[in-house]
């Protein structure tokens, strides 16, 4: 029997400089590929036009190369692949699984927390098209207000039936995407969302092992559902721990975690930085 080649990837968003948490995640993916004699890919997840910046994109490549990573194949940038996401959206739309939502985040939050409003505070949004009077909704769409496209979760989950996915560390998981409610698959400002793009890209790039932080574990339930609906292959998963600093806080851009550039400018070597995140040692 021939075994499928392992293809792993690192998929950062160019919304800031890479920090130690990213170094860990990138090296984790690279090592997962290397340990299996497979390939390592780099993808830039730049669909959030408001937060992504070209200079951060360039900085990611520079920082990763400095760290000693290599990605022999061309980098895939999501912003250049709208047609792929549009095709996936068309397919889901053809199955009657999408609907346009004009509500802003604020309006949605207000509607969901209204005393008698459906379905109650904290609940996942479902049927957001019912939160506005039908005529008002039609008027806003006709007036050209930006719309997001949401997945009819209950219908989609029923159509797909029971699904499972495998996390190589946590074991077999029964997919439970319903908790996400009618999740957005096309944003108002870009005709795709993280969930849609990541699933389409992993399939198109032939990724067989998705490695990423434990904060995205739950999202995998939605990804598994989308794979089933779109007829895509199902990769295996590993959700790694989130690196914490000496004070036990998770490394994050917003907390001013030291960037790889700052460490480099302070005279740290790539070997030292790799060792700081637990990927030191001979032969690297
Ligand atoms: N672009 C995502 C992030 O930077 C990672 C997505 C993934 O690995 O699936 O958090």
């Amino acid at each position: 029997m021939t075994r499928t080649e392992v293809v792993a990837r690192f998929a950062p968003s160019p919304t800031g400089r890479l920090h130690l948490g990213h170094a860990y995640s990138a090296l984790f993916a690279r090592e997962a590929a290397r340990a299996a004699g497979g390939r390592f890919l780099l993808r830039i997840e730049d669909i959030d036009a408001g937060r992504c910046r070209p200079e951060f994109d360039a900085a990611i490549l520079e920082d990763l190369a400095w760290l000693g990573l290599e990605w022999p194949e061309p980098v895939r940038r999501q912003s250049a692949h709208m047609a792929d996401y549009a095709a996936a959206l068309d397919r889901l739309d053809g199955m009657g699984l999408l609907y346009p939502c004009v509500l802003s985040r604020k309006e949605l939050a207000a509607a969901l927390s209204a005393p008698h409003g459906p379905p109650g505070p904290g609940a996942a949004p479902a049927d957001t098209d019912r939160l506005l009077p039908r005529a008002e909704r039609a008027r806003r769409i006709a007036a050209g207000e930006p719309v997001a496209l949401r997945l009819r979760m209950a219908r989609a989950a029923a159509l797909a039936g029971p699904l499972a996915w495998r996390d190589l560390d946590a074991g077999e998981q029964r997919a439970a995407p319903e908790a996400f409610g009618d999740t957005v698959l096309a944003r108002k400002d870009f005709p795709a969302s993280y969930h849609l793009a990541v699933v389409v890209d992993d399939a198109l790039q032939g990724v067989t092992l998705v490695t990423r932080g434990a904060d995205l574990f739950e999202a995998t339930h939605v990804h598994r559902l989308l794979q089933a609906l779109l007829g895509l292959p199902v990769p295996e998963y590993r959700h790694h721990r989130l690196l914490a600093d000496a004070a036990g806080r998770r490394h994050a851009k917003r907390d001013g975690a030291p960037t790889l550039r700052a460490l480099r400018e302070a005279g740290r070597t790539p070997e030292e930085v790799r060792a700081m995140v637990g990927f030191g040692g001979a032969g690297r």
Side-chain angles (χ1 to χ4, degrees), residues 9 11-13 22 43 45 194 198 202 210-212 215-216 223:
R9 85 313 192 260
S13 303
H22 295 110
R43 176 166 81 231
E45 303 213 321
Y194 161 66
V198 82
D202 282 333
V210 171
T211 67
R212 57 188 175 203
D215 53 337
L216 289 168
H223 300 176

Side-chain angles (χ1 to χ4, degrees), residues 109-204:
L112 293 175
S113 61
H116 304 294
D127 285 345
T128 66
D129 48 350
R130 301 215 183 122
L131 295 175
L132 271 184
R134 190 184 278 265
E136 166 70 358
R137 180 166 169 271
R139 187 195 61 73
R140 287 174 60 172
I141 293 175
E145 279 193 28
V147 295
L149 294 179
R150 288 184 181 271
L151 180 69
R152 289 197 188 285
M153 179 57 82
R155 194 182 291 176
L159 187 70
L163 298 169
W165 53 277
R166 175 183 287 279
D167 182 290
L168 294 182
D169 302 310
E172 192 83 359
Q173 307 291 316
R174 191 184 68 79
E178 296 85 352
F180 276 75
D182 290 359
T183 189
V184 169
L185 294 189
R187 299 158 50 108
K188 287 184 176 176
D189 60 346
F190 188 89
S193 70
Y194 161 66
H195 296 307
L196 183 82
V198 82
V199 161
V200 168
D201 287 346
D202 282 333
L204 288 176

Side-chain angles (χ1 to χ4, degrees), residues 2-106:
T2 50
R3 278 189 48 139
T4 326
E5 181 188 31
V6 169
V7 180
R9 85 313 192 260
F10 177 54
S13 303
T15 56
R17 281 268 173 184
L18 297 186
H19 53 67
L20 284 175
H22 295 110
Y24 176 70
S25 197
L27 289 163
F28 189 97
R30 197 270 301 260
E31 288 310 307
R34 183 140 83 180
R39 288 186 287 135
F40 168 75
L41 308 178
L42 177 62
R43 176 166 81 231
I44 299 287
E45 303 213 321
D46 58 351
I47 61 173
D48 190 342
R51 295 174 59 226
C52 295
R53 301 230 299 268
E55 60 269 34
F56 292 138
D57 182 326
I60 286 173
L61 306 191
E62 187 186 318
D63 286 345
L64 292 179
W66 176 78
L67 200 57
L69 284 139
E70 285 170 14
W71 50 95
E73 288 158 63
V75 175
R76 181 176 167 100
R77 286 190 175 73
Q78 293 185 325
S79 57
H81 294 279
M82 312 245 273
D84 293 329
Y85 312 130
L89 288 170
D90 272 355
R91 179 159 171 169
L92 296 171
D93 195 33
M95 296 162 82
L97 296 177
L98 300 182
Y99 66 91
C101 175
V102 283
L103 294 176
S104 64
R105 246 176 242 249
K106 221 167 142 185

Side-chain angles (χ1 to χ4, degrees), residues 264-276:
R264 182 166 81 214
E265 285 174 358
R268 299 295 194 140
T269 65
E271 293 73 25
E272 283 170 335
V273 171
R274 290 199 297 264
M276 283 166 81

